[in-house]
Amino acid sequence: MPFETPAIKYNGKVRDAGIGHGKTMVRVGGQTCYPFHLFEGIMPNLPKIAMEIYDCQPDGWPAAAIKPFKDVFGNPPRWAQKCVKEYGAEIVCLQLEATDPNGLDRDPEEAAQITLSVAEAIDVPLIVWGTANPEKDKRVLARIAEKCSGKRLALGPVEEKNYKTVAEAAIHNNHLIIASSPIDINLAKQLNILLANTGISPSDILIDPTVSSVGYGIEYCYSVMERIRIAALTQQDDKLQMPIICNVAREVWKTKEAKIPAIDAPELGNEETRGILLEAVSAMILLLAGGDVMIMRHPKAIALVKEIIGELAN
């Protein structure tokens, strides 16, 4: 009796979304199977990695994370160009740390001007990420949407407290929304329903399930993301069939394990290697859980993850 390989029967599909515009558009999602189950379905768009940059001099980064970018700190357009030209970034993510009301509290107009300067300095799509302060993000992201009209930025994090304003600006100016909810499948679905009610196309929504690093509850993140993918692919839940984006780098590099020098904890080994591996392993776990876009920082960690994606896809 011949052996028959067990296979899952899928009846759903993850939506295909395009970030960016024109020839520089990058497509994500579109798969008809669980991550890398290419013996059961197709992944027309392999997961993408977005390199993060900041709108100000970052504070509290370990030396290993500073080293590749220390010559471009404080200059977001040059930083973005370096990511594209030197490290081959497919997408850039601008973290708007300077708009934090508890920090520099940069105003929306200035943030929008910086975003436009970054968008015009590169020929790859741009993701824009606020500070997760709903009131401030609402004003900042809405102004950026207007200033960068037509560039199909991915704007986030958009939450239940500010979705109406940001969604309206995104619709009128042709951008995508990053729907962010606190690691709960029901909350993620509810926010997508609310966003759909504003009139935004489901193909213009990315899900941010809220993620963490290895050692900080990533198992729970994995479980929630896995359930989102099961609902999308086997239960035809069209409210959860959006690509998933994971803002993982800053979760990794803020941990004490990534920061503590080897001289203070020799049992943990070289701090640069440790930080790179923490970021790469965290990203791979989230990719296997169903992530479509990883926001990452260190070029060596990105190279590792790209290599593994290539091996899993062949």
Side-chain angles (χ1 to χ4, degrees):
M1 183 175 179
F3 174 75
E4 189 171 325
T5 305
I8 297 171
K9 292 183 178 178
Y10 302 95
N11 52 21
K13 175 185 177 183
V14 176
R15 286 188 175 83
D16 178 293
I19 310 173
H21 63 102
K23 294 180 179 178
T24 64
M25 179 178 284
V26 169
R27 307 209 70 85
V28 298
Q31 59 269 41
T32 63
C33 60
Y34 291 151
F36 303 102
H37 282 220
L38 297 175
F39 49 92
E40 295 176 333
I42 59 170
M43 294 179 72
N45 306 304
L46 290 176
K48 301 293 189 296
I49 297 173
M51 287 192 76
E52 66 168 12
I53 66 169
Y54 280 67
D55 61 343
C56 59
Q57 178 91 24
D59 190 30
W61 282 24
I66 292 174
K67 191 166 67 173
F69 309 109
K70 59 183 179 183
D71 58 327
V72 290
F73 276 172
N75 189 326
R78 281 191 58 214
W79 191 344
Q81 287 174 334
K82 181 167 187 173
C83 288
V84 175
K85 294 177 181 176
E86 192 166 328
Y87 300 121
E90 303 168 290
I91 306 172
V92 170
C93 175
L94 175 62
Q95 306 271 13
L96 295 174
E97 188 167 279
T99 62
D100 188 346
N102 298 313
L104 297 175
D105 198 19
R106 184 170 286 161
D107 66 61
E109 186 58 39
E110 191 176 357
Q113 185 56 49
I114 291 172
T115 302
L116 181 61
S117 68
V118 172
E120 291 183 341
I122 55 178
D123 57 1
V124 301
L126 181 64
I127 296 167
V128 182
W129 206 286
T131 60
N133 180 303
E135 182 58 33
K136 185 65 181 287
D137 283 349
K138 178 176 70 177
R139 294 186 286 120
V140 170
L141 296 177
R143 183 67 191 108
I144 288 172
E146 295 170 354
K147 191 84 171 180
C148 301
S149 183
K151 293 189 178 297
R152 284 192 62 77
L153 311 178
L155 302 171
V158 175
E159 307 175 39
E160 192 169 345
K161 293 180 180 177
N162 62 13
Y163 74 93
K164 288 183 180 177
T165 302
V166 184
E168 182 180 359
I171 292 169
H172 289 156
N173 295 284
N174 193 22
H175 300 297
L176 293 86
I177 288 290
I178 299 171
S180 182
S181 53
I183 200 64
D184 182 295
I185 185 173
N186 294 316
L187 294 178
K189 182 173 180 177
Q190 177 62 22
L191 181 55
N192 287 345
I193 292 171
L194 293 172
L195 282 166
N197 291 340
T198 68
I200 194 165
S201 168
S203 297
D204 288 343
I205 299 174
L206 307 177
I207 296 175
D208 163 33
T210 310
V211 298
S212 62
S213 166
V214 167
Y216 289 83
I218 202 169
E219 301 87 349
Y220 191 64
C221 302
Y222 186 102
S223 173
V224 171
M225 290 171 62
E226 187 179 44
R227 289 175 59 201
I228 290 173
R229 276 294 162 263
I230 290 171
L233 293 167
T234 68
Q235 298 166 10
Q236 299 189 61
D237 191 332
D238 64 350
K239 302 299 186 295
L240 292 169
Q241 291 177 329
M242 294 77 169
I244 295 176
I245 183 169
C246 302
N247 196 0
V248 63
R250 64 182 186 182
E251 297 300 322
V252 171
W253 289 98
K254 72 181 183 184
T255 66
K256 64 180 181 182
E257 289 79 6
K259 289 183 174 181
I260 189 168
I263 193 170
D264 295 332
E267 70 277 12
L268 296 181
N270 177 272
E271 60 262 37
E272 181 176 11
T273 303
R274 187 192 326 135
I276 291 168
L277 290 177
L278 278 172
E279 185 178 13
V281 172
S282 297
M284 274 313 307
I285 290 171
L286 297 172
L287 283 172
L288 294 175
D292 294 282
V293 182
M294 292 291 130
I295 299 174
M296 298 184 66
R297 181 177 301 175
H298 202 287
K300 290 183 180 177
I302 292 170
L304 276 174
V305 172
K306 282 186 174 179
E307 182 180 347
I308 298 172
I309 290 174
E311 290 180 359
L312 289 174
N314 292 318

